[in-house]
Amino acid sequence: MSLPVRLEELGFPKRHEDWRWSDLSAIQAALDASPRDAANDPAPDASPYLIPDHDGPLLIFVDGRFIDQGPTPGHVTTEAEAHAPERGPLGALAARHSAVRVTAQPGERVHLIHFARGGQAHLDLHYDCPAGEAIRVVETYVGGGDCWTNVAVTANVGMRGKVRRAVRVLQQGGVWTESVTGALETAAHYGSISMIANAASVRSEYALTLGDEADAHVDGTMVAGGKQVFDIVGRIRHEGVGGTSGQTWRTVAGDRAQASFAGRIEVARGAQQTDANEDVKALLLDRTATVNAKPELEIFADDVKCAHGATVGELDKNALFYLASRGIPSSEARNLLTEAFVADAFEAVENAELRDVLGADARAALGRVK
Amino acid sequence: MLAINNLHASVGDKPIIKGLSLDLPDGEVHAIMGPNGSGKSTLSYVLAGRAGYEVTDGTATLDGRDLFTMDPHERAAAGLFLGLQYPVEIPGVSNLNFLRTALNAQRTSRGEDTVSAGDFMRTAREEAEAFDLSMDHMKRGVNVGFSGGEKKRNEMVQMALLQPKLALLDETDSGLDIDALRVVANGINRMRDPRRSFLLITHYQRLLDYVKPDRIHVLQDGRITRSGGPELAAELEREGYVGIAA
């Protein structure tokens, strides 16, 4: 099927509440970028993005095409056919246009690095985890220019299975979009941590459905500066008894950036003893930046705990004075406090190397937006 | 060491310090005592350079250097340490990282070499122990989950590591039980040095039973209304501030 050439073809809703804070107009520049002949391109250098001590498969993609399975091949399969079900315009586009379908195998720690060099790229990722197994994936998105990287993720997690996903959006400029659809069976777990920075425009949607005693955590950090527009639209639906979920987001926005989070928690009839939590905090570095935070709760069961907290603020003046009174110059004090604020979202990451890498990504991103 | 001359300072539009003069020589310990609202904490904030505390007249110098032309972090590097009455909690910044950053920032600004990680850890461990704080406290976020007494002892650990020339201790004794008060007092006494001075700001005589001051000043309504030797503390305890003022 031929690739779309105009923004209007993409079928993004106009006046839809879930789309009100997204600005994907920069996609047009990526659509205009002519398809590249990559045959003579040098192989991209993945070394700056690697995770120390990562011993699983390393998958390298350029503009949506799979080019290399790094030095440690695994059992990752890539098929020249996509299968993502229809589910919203972004997921449908990824299913229709992705060159490959990537299926991660249980028991492995996979690192996928995607280089965007211009134009549109669609990826269709499948994390189907059988009962009792575990899939761990790190996705790193780099490159930049007039590009649009569109990722669809399908996560089906069997009984007591675990899918853990870390997403690093480090693409310099361009648009990055994702749509995650997940179904969690009894006592299954899905956990993701996102580090979103650098891209001109980002939209991340997730819709997870939880069975009995299933647990989902979708956490992340957004670091936005300049005129960047980031938008997170989440939906976690509890359909079983005793499910737990959490959404912890930390946002730093400076200059004229806009960062938004809308997270919906749905508790279906009969989903008793649900324990769901949303914790959204944002730090404004400049008065000209915008942060939107919108929790939504829809509860049809009576024995549930659903908590949500959202704050938007500036750095604590008492803390700034305290640091200064100990000899720390104000720029350094601001850095310390901002990094500490952001690091909060990475607390749940068990792998120390990965946590350090995310922390370094955040520091680099903060260095750019200050 | 510290020379304050005819200091006037306001918070907002409200004058709080109204012509305060004080001379604190090298190596001496002075205490400032005064009732609530007399301007004790304001004085410490003005000297440390907190935003919102405006100097409207007068001067203050540290070793001859004008404090009021310096930013707060420069005053710290020049040797001023303020022990806060209410130390701030900073989640996500470990106590050790905070202290090491502070120490190295001061040293860099003075043109000295930064301290190595090993040397720093050794000293930090010693000082934490001396003030009865565990290494767990040192690894936690600054003051996060600390009791009131632990926060005050943490101020003392910071003072011991930063080795200031002049320590302003703002009600460091409040909120301490008798054992913690002894620990803090021992720390101050241990750091007494011919080249270091202390200004103890306090409400009560209690701390002065353990740390013998060279001079005591009574602060009332933004001015020093009386100065004297250590015996003044006992007199204050007997007569109260009202009696002294007369």
Side-chain angles (χ1 to χ4, degrees):
Chain A
M1 189 172 283
S2 61
L3 288 168
V5 293
R6 286 184 309 110
L7 195 57
E8 295 74 41
E9 285 174 58
L10 303 178
F12 297 153
K14 287 201 168 71
R15 303 171 176 274
H16 191 291
E17 180 64 17
D18 284 351
W19 287 76
R20 65 186 283 201
W21 287 318
S22 282
D23 177 2
L24 301 181
S25 52
I27 284 178
Q28 187 60 60
L31 301 184
D32 291 342
S34 51
R36 297 161 43 77
D37 176 14
N40 298 321
D41 279 1
D45 178 15
S47 58
Y49 312 110
L50 300 180
I51 318 268
D53 296 335
H54 175 87
D55 54 3
L58 176 66
L59 305 175
I60 297 178
F61 287 76
V62 175
D63 291 335
R65 284 169 298 105
F66 177 61
I67 61 150
D68 193 11
Q69 188 154 313
T72 325
H75 299 102
V76 174
T77 58
T78 53
E79 300 166 26
E81 192 189 344
H83 301 277
E86 294 280 330
R87 60 218 168 151
L90 288 169
L93 284 162
R96 211 174 301 138
H97 300 293
S98 70
V100 292
R101 163 194 164 110
V102 179
T103 307
Q105 297 297 304
E108 287 178 335
R109 211 178 267 277
V110 179
H111 189 184
L112 181 158
I113 303 181
H114 181 270
F115 290 84
R117 287 178 163 173
Q120 55 190 306
H122 301 275
L123 282 174
D124 182 19
L125 310 178
H126 289 254
Y127 305 141
D128 292 323
C129 186
E133 303 276 2
I135 291 179
R136 292 183 176 81
V137 196
V138 179
E139 297 163 30
T140 302
Y141 297 92
V142 296
D146 286 334
C147 59
W148 170 32
T149 308
N150 180 36
V151 186
V153 174
T154 309
N156 292 312
V157 195
M159 197 185 285
R160 288 189 306 279
K162 276 186 182 159
V163 169
R164 287 189 161 258
R165 187 172 169 246
V167 185
R168 303 158 70 200
V169 182
L170 309 176
Q171 180 183 301
Q172 301 290 337
V175 181
W176 186 87
T177 53
E178 74 164 349
S179 52
V180 179
T181 311
L184 281 66
E185 290 181 21
T186 301
H189 167 79
Y190 173 90
S192 75
I193 174 88
S194 298
M195 168 65 230
I196 298 175
N198 306 0
S201 173
V202 167
R203 175 179 169 89
S204 165
E205 337 175 316
Y206 51 88
L208 303 171
T209 306
L210 278 64
D212 291 346
E213 289 167 39
D215 172 65
H217 276 81
V218 184
D219 304 334
T221 287
M222 292 187 265
V223 178
K227 290 180 176 175
Q228 291 171 299
V229 181
F230 296 169
D231 191 15
I232 309 292
V233 182
R235 181 164 68 94
I236 292 185
R237 179 171 175 81
H238 289 266
E239 291 194 339
V241 173
T244 51
S245 68
Q247 299 169 76
T248 300
W249 285 84
R250 296 290 177 266
T251 300
V252 176
D255 204 355
R256 301 189 167 276
Q258 174 179 300
S260 308
F261 171 88
R264 190 185 307 162
I265 301 170
E266 298 175 1
V267 181
R269 217 173 291 280
Q272 304 294 4
Q273 284 102 50
T274 288
D275 188 345
N277 186 49
E278 252 181 47
D279 172 10
V280 182
K281 289 185 185 150
L283 195 59
L284 289 173
L285 298 181
D286 300 297
R287 297 279 166 100
T288 45
T290 302
V291 164
N292 300 302
K294 186 177 69 159
E296 281 182 83
L297 302 176
E298 189 185 278
I299 304 172
F300 288 101
D302 53 12
D303 180 17
V304 300
K305 268 202 285 192
C306 288
H308 62 87
T311 62
V312 179
E314 297 173 286
L315 288 173
D316 180 2
K317 290 194 171 61
N318 290 326
L320 281 170
F321 171 70
Y322 194 46
L323 295 173
S325 77
R326 297 300 178 255
I328 301 176
S330 70
S331 59
E332 206 172 339
R334 295 179 71 85
N335 287 352
L336 261 183
L337 294 179
T338 313
E339 282 170 23
F341 173 82
V342 164
D344 215 18
F346 305 141
E347 288 294 306
V349 178
E350 286 165 12
N351 181 327
E353 279 81 23
L354 177 58
R355 197 167 54 231
D356 290 349
V357 164
L358 292 169
D361 290 343
R363 270 192 299 282
L366 289 170
R368 271 191 289 268
V369 303
K370 277 193 320 269
Chain B
M1 178 68 67
L2 175 68
I4 304 173
N5 189 23
N6 189 34
L7 179 64
H8 289 73
S10 303
V11 180
D13 287 337
K14 194 170 178 230
I16 307 282
I17 305 289
K18 304 165 183 169
L20 184 149
S21 297
L22 178 79
D23 189 41
L24 172 56
D26 289 2
E28 291 198 2
V29 176
H30 288 198
I32 289 191
M33 301 183 73
N36 285 328
S38 57
K40 300 193 298 294
S41 286
T42 299
L43 174 63
S44 67
Y45 285 145
V46 167
L47 294 175
R50 184 170 194 148
Y53 292 77
E54 199 196 343
V55 176
T56 50
D57 199 7
T59 58
T61 57
L62 176 65
D63 273 347
R65 293 175 64 189
D66 182 0
L67 277 177
F68 299 148
T69 58
M70 290 187 245
D71 282 339
H73 72 274
E74 294 168 333
R75 300 182 199 195
L80 178 78
F81 177 88
L82 169 62
L84 288 176
Q85 186 178 359
Y86 302 108
V88 181
E89 293 186 15
I90 311 180
V93 179
S94 81
N95 219 356
L96 285 169
N97 183 20
F98 163 59
L99 275 168
R100 193 162 164 230
T101 307
L103 184 58
N104 282 335
Q106 290 199 16
R107 294 178 71 105
T108 305
S109 127
R110 290 193 294 257
E112 299 166 13
D113 286 341
T114 57
V115 64
S116 78
D119 288 348
F120 172 77
M121 281 304 286
R122 203 167 314 118
T123 324
R125 199 180 293 272
E126 280 168 18
E127 293 301 347
E129 204 169 301
F131 290 100
D132 227 355
L133 288 179
S134 67
M135 278 315 274
D136 176 58
H137 285 94
M138 301 305 286
K139 287 174 188 161
R140 258 191 250 164
V142 179
N143 293 321
V144 175
F146 285 36
S147 71
E150 286 169 343
K151 286 180 183 171
K152 295 300 179 69
R153 282 184 273 140
N154 195 26
E155 295 290 283
M156 294 296 101
V157 172
Q158 294 171 35
M159 177 175 79
L161 280 166
L162 296 172
Q163 296 281 321
K165 284 185 194 163
L166 169 67
L168 302 174
L169 302 182
D170 187 5
E171 302 217 8
T172 297
D173 50 339
S174 68
L176 292 182
D177 61 31
I178 196 72
D179 294 328
L181 184 66
R182 258 192 219 116
V183 168
V184 165
N186 289 343
I188 297 173
N189 287 330
R190 172 164 61 88
M191 286 186 66
R192 285 181 82 153
D193 185 290
R195 282 155 305 167
R196 178 175 293 127
S197 308
F198 291 84
L199 191 58
L200 309 176
I201 295 172
T202 181
H203 223 67
Y204 303 106
Q205 192 196 340
R206 221 167 55 133
L207 177 65
L208 308 182
D209 291 342
Y210 297 92
V211 182
K212 273 279 160 271
D214 297 294
R215 304 270 304 161
I216 292 178
H217 309 278
V218 178
L219 181 62
Q220 285 174 302
D221 193 25
R223 270 182 223 100
I224 287 174
T225 50
R226 188 132 171 229
S227 295
E231 70 286 349
L232 191 54
E235 194 183 327
L236 271 171
E237 202 78 358
R238 266 197 327 272
E239 318 255 324
Y241 292 111
V242 180
I244 286 284

